[in-house]
Amino acid sequence: MNNLLEVKNLNTSFKIGVGTVQAVRGISFHVGEGESVGIVGESGSGKSVTMLSVMGLLPDYADIRADSILFAGREMTQMTPKQLRAMHGSEIGMIFQDPMTSLNPLFNVENQLTEPLRIHMKMGKTEARQRALELLKQVEIPNPEARLKQYPHELSGGLRQRVMIAIAIACGPKMVIADEPTTALDVTIQSQILELLEHLKNTTKTSIIMITHDLGVIASMCSRIIVMYGGIICEEGSAREIFYEPKHPYTWGLLNSIPKINGNPDEKLIPINGTPPDMLMPPKGCPFAPRCRYCMPVCREYMAPRTQLGETHAVACHLMHPKAPKVEREV
Amino acid sequence: MLKYIMKRLLAGVLTIFVLITISFFMMHAMPGGPFSPDEQKNVPPEVLERIAASYGLDRPVGEQYLNYWKNLLRGDLGISYKKQDTSVNSIIDIHFPVSARVGAVAVVVALLIGIPMGVLAALYRGKAMDMAAMVFCTIGISVPVFIISLLLLYLFAGVLQWLPSFGLTSWRHYILPVACLAFNPIAYITRQTRSSMLEALEQDYVRTARAKGVMELWVVGKHALKNALTPVITYLGPLVAGLLTGSFVVERLFSVPGVGRYFVQSVSDRDYTMIMGIVIFFGIFVVVCNLISDILLAIVDPRVKLNS
Ligand SMILES: Nc1ncnc2c1ncn2[C@@H]1O[C@H](COP(=O)(O)OP(=O)(O)OP(=O)(O)O)[C@@H](O)[C@H]1O
Ligand SMILES: [Mg+2]
């Protein structure tokens, strides 16, 4: 499998009044062609900032540094705004968290859905309209003709998110980035949207990056999972590795906080105690150390090096050191 | 949409009815007047009585009120108390278009300067351009129009002698009165556009537009601006109503024969029919302007229809 996206040593910070928020601190990852990758982590761990940095969609005061961001063999860090814009919405589609606010309230569905078609594929009005109807059918919106003329406030949250998905896939992108696409939706709608995304993934061979703070959401969909915390990647591996052989205490915490697949419904869920680090003054050691119950003195002083455990599995934790105590995940 | 308009229309009619009734009875509750014997010492009382009777003032108030309505519904606002050969209608016919012309130019100028200035201030937030615009806005909003007018008059017509100081005979005559009238609205529109633009640019749908690859010019000019303009549209009704009905200060200062001057003059003359007539005319005008801007808003913002 060839790499579609390859990010090397990405650092993103925001200069704000009181200091610098170090939102992303040196992360590297890749996404293969047609592969679906999940990025999980608590709120504030830097998931959105990572993807927005890759897209070049952060505000001016963001300082984005990367050794390299390759997309389909092209170096994105060297691109002009115009070249980047030509990729946005055509080669890379994005779906955002809150469908209530992600659509412009003053333009109807047709206008917003045909916009990328008119911009990137230079379609005329009737042709774009025809394609928009097909797209609405593809995202399983009933009665598409009527929907085209409707405004966002006339649609339910689930329908709006379907429209967002239709916009993201309008130009047949190579990759779709979905940033918590189901967080703002009802549970029943959530599973429908996930099914739809999975269906699209299987039929269109598009790479998908699924950002979420809920491991359960990506269990069935993503072949590979990246676990982020405090602006760094603490563990990554295939879905099987993350779910069945997790090595990082933070990953254990995440797994204990979701209901088990086929598990006992009365089973107690264990939340992770404590709060995420303040990215204005990130700890110099492992960001998870203050909340980690296996924390050693070294954890507070030094970032853990990345330990490659297998072809896909890697973890950044001092417990991997040969002389570290052997600890077991408590379930 | 139709229901929304009907509702607004009904509210407007009700407002005007209340306005007419209140101003009618207030005029009549006022002690004294142009035909009261205490004030006109050198006119014989019989003559005053006859004049009063010719205006129907000897009738009971209730009857006068009904008569006023009867005439009003035919579009007749009555005869001036002061100039007994002049009807209120003719004053409005002659002088309102003058005020309206100057006012309309001022409205267009205010929008053409205020909106782009507000947008630029928002886009260059914190930069010199923004600072300058904000200083201008503070002055424009806090300094009263008569001071601005005097300053401009003194500078451009007095010291520099670039522009004429009175009358309305050429386009150059319009410059100073229009500038004075538009000064405050420009400041208001700039400030409003700037703040709503800043808000709009932060919205998720702007990020969505960028993620679609929309050109920055369209992100700002289409997605953000349309949202940022809704408060300006709401302000449009009062703005048009305020400027087209003329300003006493500006019309007086630049000798513009507009209706604003007549209005204030009729108050000092205690020309009650004139006051009533102009108040009613202005009232209807304000209601119509607001109705139009409400409709405009409903066209621009589809959500309006729901929550009204
Ligand atoms: N525009 C910004 N200006 C300043 N700080 C920002 C900005 N955007 C994000 N941050 C900071 O960067 C850090 C990472 O934020 P990010 O949005 O990537 O988190 P996330 O993992 O996506 O969380 P969530 O699940 O809440 O979406 C946070 O500490 C956040 O406060
Ligand atoms: Mg996020």
Side-chain angles (χ1 to χ4, degrees), chain A residues 2-184:
Chain A
N2 290 327
N3 281 347
L4 179 64
L5 176 71
E6 204 174 330
V7 177
K8 289 214 178 93
N9 194 22
L10 174 72
N11 288 275
T12 304
S13 56
F14 301 95
K15 286 211 169 43
I16 57 171
V18 287
T20 306
V21 180
Q22 298 175 22
V24 174
R25 303 185 289 158
I27 73 171
S28 305
F29 65 96
H30 65 91
V31 177
E33 274 171 17
E35 191 187 23
S36 52
V37 173
I39 302 185
V40 277
E42 276 168 293
S43 190
S45 52
K47 308 179 297 291
S48 301
V49 172
T50 300
M51 292 333 297
L52 291 171
S53 304
V54 169
M55 290 285 278
L57 284 177
L58 285 169
D60 293 339
Y61 59 91
D63 181 17
I64 307 167
R65 290 156 201 264
D67 293 349
S68 144
I69 301 175
L70 278 180
F71 182 83
R74 284 165 294 159
E75 183 54 68
M76 289 180 82
T77 52
Q78 305 295 326
M79 285 190 186
T80 62
K82 196 174 167 199
Q83 288 172 312
L84 276 175
R85 211 161 47 228
M87 291 172 61
H88 294 161
S90 64
E91 293 182 73
I92 308 176
M94 277 200 92
I95 303 162
F96 296 103
Q97 176 170 354
D98 191 351
M100 294 304 173
T101 55
S102 297
L103 290 167
N104 194 323
L106 302 190
F107 295 94
N108 64 19
V109 171
E110 176 171 357
N111 188 309
Q112 303 192 54
L113 178 52
T114 56
E115 209 170 16
L117 300 170
R118 283 178 280 133
I119 293 171
H120 299 294
M121 307 183 84
K122 306 278 177 276
M123 283 189 186
K125 202 174 158 57
T126 38
E127 194 188 354
R129 187 165 189 281
Q130 217 43 52
R131 174 88 179 114
L133 283 174
E134 283 166 25
L135 284 164
L136 290 185
K137 281 184 204 134
Q138 206 176 339
V139 296
E140 292 155 21
I141 292 183
N143 200 0
E145 281 89 359
R147 297 297 181 195
L148 276 186
K149 291 288 161 240
Q150 287 188 310
Y151 287 86
H153 73 267
E154 297 168 294
L155 306 176
S156 67
L159 278 179
R160 290 189 209 192
Q161 199 61 303
R162 284 174 194 267
V163 171
M164 279 299 293
I165 295 172
I167 291 173
I169 62 170
C171 300
K174 296 195 176 83
M175 182 169 87
V176 169
I177 301 173
D179 189 351
E180 309 203 24
T182 58
T183 308

Side-chain angles (χ1 to χ4, degrees), chain A residues 151-224:
Chain A
Y151 287 86
H153 73 267
E154 297 168 294
L155 306 176
S156 67
L159 278 179
R160 290 189 209 192
Q161 199 61 303
R162 284 174 194 267
V163 171
M164 279 299 293
I165 295 172
I167 291 173
I169 62 170
C171 300
K174 296 195 176 83
M175 182 169 87
V176 169
I177 301 173
D179 189 351
E180 309 203 24
T182 58
T183 308
L185 301 173
D186 291 347
V187 183
T188 47
I189 311 290
Q190 275 187 13
S191 56
Q192 290 174 12
I193 295 288
L194 286 174
E195 268 166 37
L196 173 65
L197 283 171
E198 204 168 344
H199 176 71
L200 291 173
K201 184 200 102 182
N202 294 334
T203 51
T204 59
K205 304 274 178 279
T206 313
S207 300
I208 292 185
I209 298 181
M210 184 80 163
I211 299 176
T212 175
H213 52 239
D214 180 0
L215 267 172
V217 161
I218 47 179
S220 64
M221 186 166 168
C222 298
S223 50
R224 221 150 43 75

Side-chain angles (χ1 to χ4, degrees), chain A residues 249 256 270 288-289 291-295 330:
Chain A
N256 288 343
I270 314 155
F288 189 59
R291 297 168 74 186
C292 180
R293 72 161 101 154
Y294 312 103
C295 176
E330 291 173 23

Side-chain angles (χ1 to χ4, degrees), chain B residues 29 57 129 156 164 219 228 267:
Chain B
L57 291 175
M129 159 86 217
F156 290 102
V219 171
V267 172

